[in-house]
Amino acid sequence: MPTTTTAQLESFNPATGERVGSVPVTPVDEIPAIVARAREAQKAWGAKTAQERADIIRPAGQALADRADELGELLTREMGKPLAEGVGECRGCGEGLGDEVNEIAKAVTPETLDGESVQTTLYHDPLGVCAAITPWNFPIAMPHWSVLPALVTGNTCVLKPSEQTPLIAQAYVDVLNEVLPEGVLQIIHGEDDQGKALVAADIDLISFTGSKTAGQHIMRSAAGGLKRLILELGSKDPLIVLEGADLDAAATFAARNTFRNCGQVCVSTERIYVQDSVKDVFMDKLIEQSKTYSVGDGMSEGTVVGPMIDENQKRHVLDQVQDAMSKGAKVVFGGEARDGAFISPTVLDGVTHEMDIMRTETFGPIACVAGVKDAAEAIELANDTEYGLGGAVFGTDEQARSVARQLTAGMVGVNRGLGGAPGSPWVGAKQSGYSYHSGPMGHRQFCQVRVVSEAKAE
Ligand code: NAD
């Protein structure tokens, strides 16, 4: 658990409780001046072309990739995920940066529309100053997803990373600032108060990734200034497994997508609906898979599942399991008590929508399995949620495709996870999000479209 003193935000290793380091807390009353600096810097930055901005940022990709081992270790010590995943997150951001900045620059190239007597040019201009407010579960990737499009489209950016992972966010910003002009990317540290002060400051867009509750608060606060919003919020993603599915593939996916990052992923599988005729076989395979998810310190060899981010999050998950068991669910794998922030990957059978664990985001390594008689019942239950970020359907290709189209989620995978082809936006439906990012459509959300028309020459 981080604790603030008057001046320092302390960061602790969730696996060991050891102090990893600290950063100075940004005084709330300094935030308007930080934003004013960003606005001043935006004049020169926004006057460059998108391609010029992409070229300035590009060398930071190599620097991130070159330092992936060192940054990944810091990430793991601060957040807990296994070292290979920490290093992979840093390397992935670095190695993908070159293509990403090119894609963003291309997305905002002016477009021409031709009418019979009129010609129109669509410009994708910067908005001004963007706030990026991010969570701890992918503590480099989440800032990266907001900061890069904000900057390449010509905005300047103030990042407020999670108070749980300030050190890795600071390291990321330091790498980018080796190539960026002063004031283009700044970082502030602290808890909710710093986030609230940033939202209230003179900014033009808030790109927020985090919980629904904070997203709602931000939306209310932004209303006065009609500030633009990108809200990437929580979810309760379903997995549907139907007769005719490759049950080995479905069980492998179910385990990986439930237990990865200790379940602390916005698109984790949080609910599993399995057709009764294949449920027993699927369950056996899921339990076999679950045995391979060994829990431990992310720095230790062989660890597949690290700790939860802190003991509060662990308590929330265990309370949900307890509530489910008191209403009739059975633990068929895992469930044993562990010290500290660790929690056992667990499989629950017989869950229903009367249980909190099937309605409220869990964000933990709990596979919740319910039997359904057919695809229609699976669709009805899968859609019985206020959320709608992702989902997956395993079955015969034709049936799985048809079921996928009937799910009210933003992104669905058919016989696979939901990751889309290059250019796909990352998009939530219902209360999982408002607006979206990634892909050309997402990059343009950081822009003001301007429409300039003139008569065609006779
Ligand atoms: P959180 O909402 O508690 O905090 C996120 C960030 O917002 C932090 O930096 C925090 O300090 C700040 N913050 C909190 N309240 C604020 C307020 N009122 N105004 C301004 N800033 C505020 O979320 P978390 O616990 O860090 O992250 C977990 C959540 O993030 C989960 O719900 C998860 O599903 C979601 N998430 C969503 C996506 C997505 O793509 N949809 C991706 C990753 C995580």
Side-chain angles (χ1 to χ4, degrees):
M1 267 290 284
T3 54
T4 45
T5 64
T6 45
Q8 293 291 311
L9 178 64
E10 304 281 348
S11 181
F12 295 94
N13 182 331
T16 62
E18 284 163 8
R19 179 181 177 278
V20 185
S22 67
V23 292
V25 173
T26 309
V28 162
D29 59 5
E30 285 181 13
I31 291 173
I34 291 168
V35 171
R37 213 155 40 238
R39 193 162 293 287
E40 187 56 33
Q42 198 275 330
K43 291 177 189 157
W45 182 247
K48 296 181 191 301
T49 66
Q51 199 53 57
E52 285 169 340
R53 293 186 289 260
D55 291 343
I56 290 171
I57 298 174
R58 190 170 292 105
Q62 192 60 51
L64 283 172
D66 287 347
R67 294 178 53 189
D69 287 342
E70 169 206 337
L71 293 172
E73 184 179 330
L74 175 60
L75 191 162
T76 290
R77 289 200 296 126
E78 191 170 39
M79 185 266 152
K81 68 177 64 173
L83 183 60
E85 291 175 29
V87 172
E89 186 174 333
C90 302
R91 182 161 290 127
C93 290
E95 289 179 349
L97 187 145
D99 287 346
E100 189 74 7
V101 295
N102 287 344
E103 184 186 272
I104 300 165
K106 196 165 159 216
V108 297
T109 304
E111 298 164 74
T112 307
L113 305 179
D114 263 321
E116 229 169 77
S117 58
V118 65
Q119 181 170 299
T120 293
T121 308
L122 300 185
Y123 295 96
H124 304 281
D125 286 348
L127 286 160
V129 181
C130 292
I133 304 180
T134 55
W136 45 263
N137 60 339
F138 290 90
I140 278 213
M142 292 297 103
H144 193 69
W145 273 26
S146 287
V147 165
L148 269 201
L151 296 186
V152 179
T153 56
N155 305 283
T156 51
C157 183
V158 180
L159 170 66
K160 153 67 181 86
S162 170
E163 56 272 33
Q164 310 265 24
T165 50
L167 303 177
I168 187 64
Q170 182 68 54
Y172 168 77
V173 166
D174 289 347
V175 172
L176 262 68
N177 274 333
E178 285 167 16
V179 298
L180 289 169
E182 208 178 318
V184 167
L185 173 62
Q186 299 175 82
I187 185 166
I188 63 171
H189 290 294
E191 302 190 14
D192 304 9
D193 284 349
Q194 279 68 16
K196 288 173 185 162
L198 181 57
V199 170
D202 177 27
I203 53 164
D204 301 288
L205 171 115
I206 303 137
S207 177
F208 172 76
T209 311
S211 61
K212 178 186 151 193
T213 311
Q216 287 171 314
H217 187 271
I218 288 171
M219 198 166 183
R220 279 194 293 273
S221 310
L226 281 180
K227 292 170 186 168
R228 272 49 178 169
L229 290 175
I230 301 173
L231 302 179
E232 299 283 0
L233 309 178
S235 194
K236 196 76 199 155
D237 286 6
L239 161 65
I240 294 176
V241 182
L242 300 170
E243 243 173 54
D246 175 340
L247 295 180
D248 287 311
T252 303
F253 173 80
R256 191 178 66 245
N257 211 47
T258 303
F259 303 142
R260 179 171 74 109
N261 208 16
C262 207
Q264 303 168 123
V265 181
C266 53
V267 289
S268 274
T269 294
E270 295 235 342
R271 300 174 290 146
I272 304 174
Y273 302 102
V274 190
Q275 196 159 3
D276 290 328
S277 53
V278 294
K279 181 162 167 264
D280 288 349
V281 181
F282 173 81
M283 264 309 208
D284 289 346
K285 290 179 187 291
L286 175 58
I287 289 168
E288 274 314 300
Q289 282 289 327
S290 304
K291 291 177 185 164
T292 64
Y293 285 77
S294 53
V295 180
D297 184 337
M299 293 301 292
S300 307
E301 210 165 311
T303 293
V304 185
V305 179
M308 306 239 64
I309 187 68
D310 61 26
E311 292 190 37
N312 287 338
Q313 182 58 24
K314 174 181 174 178
R315 204 165 308 121
H316 160 71
V317 175
L318 293 183
D319 284 351
Q320 282 198 336
V321 172
Q322 203 53 50
D323 170 72
M325 287 169 66
S326 75
K327 292 174 181 157
K330 295 215 164 9
V331 172
V332 293
F333 177 79
E336 61 274 1
R338 288 187 185 261
D339 291 339
F342 294 100
I343 193 164
S344 299
T346 296
V347 180
L348 286 183
D349 193 7
V351 291
T352 69
H353 282 215
E354 277 61 58
M355 301 167 184
D356 190 43
I357 204 161
M358 292 299 269
R359 309 202 75 90
T360 308
E361 188 175 41
T362 303
F363 233 50
I366 316 293
C368 298
V369 184
V372 289
K373 63 176 185 307
D374 54 20
E377 187 183 7
I379 294 165
E380 192 183 328
L381 288 172
N383 288 340
D384 177 28
T385 171
E386 62 184 12
Y387 290 113
L389 189 55
V393 188
F394 281 70
T396 60
D397 286 345
E398 197 181 339
Q399 190 179 28
R401 219 173 280 135
S402 157
V403 170
R405 288 291 296 131
Q406 295 174 70
L407 295 185
T408 54
M411 303 173 284
V412 184
V414 173
N415 288 321
R416 66 188 302 283
L418 53 72
S424 308
W426 182 266
V427 55
K430 302 198 283 189
Q431 298 197 20
S432 285
Y434 186 93
S435 197
Y436 48 87
H437 57 179
S438 292
M441 292 160 73
H443 303 324
R444 292 181 190 136
Q445 310 261 318
F446 289 80
C447 300
Q448 170 64 54
V449 178
R450 292 187 206 284
V451 183
V452 178
S453 303
E454 58 186 277
K456 275 185 166 172
E458 292 289 314

